[in-house]
Amino acid sequence: MVVEVDPIPAPQNEVKGQRVLVLSLSGPSGAPRCLWTHSAPEPVTSYPSLHPTPPLINPSTTEPSPSHPTSPCCHSGAFRRNLEVDQNRWRTGMARFFNSGSVKSTWCMLSFISLSQTFSCSASCGKGFRNRPVSCVTGSGLPLPEEDCRLRPEPARQRRCRGSRCPKWKTGGWAECSATCGTGTQRREVSCRLGNRRSPDETECSQRSRPASGQPCSVTECPSLYQWREEEWQPCSKSCGTGHRRRALQCVDQLGKEVHDMFCASQVRAPDSEPCNGHPCDFVWVTGDWTDCSASCGEGFRRRLVSCSEVHSGNSDNYEYGHQSSSNCPGTPPESYSPCTVGPCLAPQEWRAGTWGPCSVSCGAGLMERNLQCETADGQQVTRCSPDAMPERRKVCSNLDCHLPVSCRDVQRLHGRVPDGEHFLRIHGKALKVYCAGLQTDTPQEYLTLTAGERENFSEVFGFRLIDPTQCPANGSIREDCECRKDYSAAGLSAFSKVRLDLSKMHIITTDWQFASTHEGQRVPFATAGDCFSAARCPQGQFRVNLSGTGLQVAQGAHWITQGNYAVAEISRSEDGSRVTGMCGGYCGTCTPSSSSLAVILE
């Protein structure tokens, strides 16, 4: 079998732009030649190295295959397979059976890959891609589905390509800052270049990627006309622990003259306070002086202040008194209470009063007296009785047969609008000396003159407060010599020479200050006291009520109530009820008569 390769003209239905190679094949019996076509990019006239070539005709086969179309150009009983020439290599295609009959030789209908002309590069400059369409067609150029060419290698549809050189931005160096101090700007040259050529209008380069031609710059700060002047630091607030120290800052001009702070608003302000002395403090137990023994004779107790305090400046005598946690101090705290013995107690003694003598007048109000003696239980006269517990030696008396007015209005009715003064009134069948005020008005009022004076009739709200309210210095006996501050706003001291009476109820109205003088702070009601001194049952506020010589005494049922926080009241009465004293206070607390007025009775 001889294979010849001849360049012959392509048939009319050849795809344009393609070269067709015709392979001439002669069979064993001189049968007509069969033709195969293949598109090629360059004309090929001969292939000198074709051996060995695949057999194209099998002479032993005499029957056509019923599954393949017959060829109009092949010998009866012969079969062929497509060959395509590609760069001096044979590639074997699919074998097909043909039945020529008496038909003359023509072009065989063979499928192949048709390659059309490629497109231009996708990038006008720089790297890109070049694409070409690839399709499956017959030898006559008719399109076929791509699966008909699945046994053939598909030519590449895309390859890389490069366009011309792209223009790009070029920058120069930054120029010097426009400002000699403070903030300015600096600039640089930016140009669009294509190689060594410069684009005059910069349209060839992308404006989005254009580098900045200017930027802010900062040199040294400009000298200010104003600046902060720093004074020396003050001493630290504490010599150990966490303290603070302060210094003064002043805004000054170039001449050093102080100006308003607003001129230095743009300048950095140095701190005017800072922590200092951060090293820890030493803690020690500090004890105060022992108080007097609680008993005047026999056994009692005494107490002292014990606190955990800081030691400053390395001096064991330099303490900062304050309520520190006891866990800071080493060891067991010293005793704050201790028993004490003053001496053997003497036999008890008390005042003993004799019977009242006759009234000094036969009509109206007078006085009567009685004898008082201080005696022991066995009747021995002694001089150790307390003057505060001494009963009244004299009192007012009256003759019930005399006709007396019963009120100051009655005095006005009997005597007209006379000057204010003392008058005897008949109260519950007894004559009582009463001061009538407002006799020249339509509403005269009754007042009781306190013969004991203002020193024995006053009310006080104590004004000092302990720095540490949990303490009670000196067992409450020290009032103003203490670690205190005087800042209680409700403090005051009022003294009374007369008090107003409500004869219908037999009460002293405690909130009438017509005949009272306030010596300090706020006005304080009669028979009232309080403080904000301590929360440790350490009252300092005082009041005194002394009705001696007035013919009245505090009713047995009168009592005082406490108000406020940690409030406490210590009330003492004389045996005859003419005198009452009280120590009241708290943190903060007061005591007042329970009915807001003080009940009294006739002697």
Side-chain angles (χ1 to χ4, degrees), residues 268-467:
V268 177
R269 192 177 194 271
D272 58 358
S273 66
E274 65 178 8
C276 55
N277 293 337
H279 58 277
C281 297
D282 294 329
F283 292 89
V284 296
W285 291 107
V286 177
T287 58
D289 296 332
W290 288 107
T291 62
D292 295 334
C293 192
S294 61
S296 59
C297 65
E299 295 185 353
F301 69 91
R302 58 180 183 171
R303 65 188 227 172
R304 63 181 176 180
L305 174 68
V306 176
S307 65
C308 179
S309 300
E310 297 177 352
V311 180
H312 285 186
S313 302
N315 184 356
S316 59
D317 295 329
N318 183 13
Y319 303 120
E320 178 174 302
Y321 288 92
H323 186 64
Q324 305 292 336
S325 173
S326 59
S327 61
N328 294 331
C329 281
T332 304
E335 294 293 336
S336 58
Y337 289 86
S338 174
C340 57
T341 302
V342 177
C345 293
L346 301 177
Q349 63 278 338
E350 63 180 356
W351 289 104
R352 294 190 178 179
T355 59
W356 289 105
C359 189
S360 60
V361 295
S362 58
C363 182
L367 292 175
M368 54 184 182
E369 297 181 349
R370 61 181 177 180
N371 291 327
L372 298 176
Q373 292 182 347
C374 180
E375 297 180 353
T376 61
D378 56 2
Q380 295 181 1
Q381 293 187 7
V382 294
T383 59
R384 298 189 300 271
C385 292
S386 173
D388 292 336
M390 182 178 180
E392 187 177 14
R393 186 182 296 273
R394 60 176 59 186
K395 67 177 181 178
V396 176
C397 58
S398 61
N399 190 333
L400 299 181
D401 295 335
C402 296
H403 176 73
L404 295 174
V406 296
S407 66
C408 289
R409 181 176 287 276
D410 201 9
V411 172
Q412 188 184 58
R413 183 180 57 81
L414 293 174
H415 303 289
R417 297 179 179 268
V418 295
D420 297 348
E422 301 281 353
H423 295 271
F424 284 101
L425 303 181
R426 183 163 53 88
I427 308 299
H428 298 296
K430 292 184 178 182
L432 181 66
K433 193 174 183 179
V434 174
Y435 183 87
C436 290
L439 286 175
Q440 298 182 6
T441 67
D442 294 336
T443 56
Q445 296 174 337
E446 293 80 19
Y447 285 84
L448 182 67
T449 299
L450 302 172
T451 58
E454 292 186 352
R455 289 183 174 270
E456 292 294 317
N457 293 276
F458 65 85
S459 299
E460 176 196 42
V461 174
F462 193 55
F464 287 81
R465 295 202 297 169
L466 282 174
I467 301 299

Side-chain angles (χ1 to χ4, degrees), residues 228-248:
W228 292 105
R229 183 172 63 193
E230 303 166 3
E231 300 294 336
E232 293 295 328
W233 287 106
Q234 296 178 357
C236 191
S237 61
K238 290 187 177 182
S239 59
C240 64
T242 303
H244 287 84
R245 64 177 185 174
R246 301 185 65 84
R247 65 179 175 184

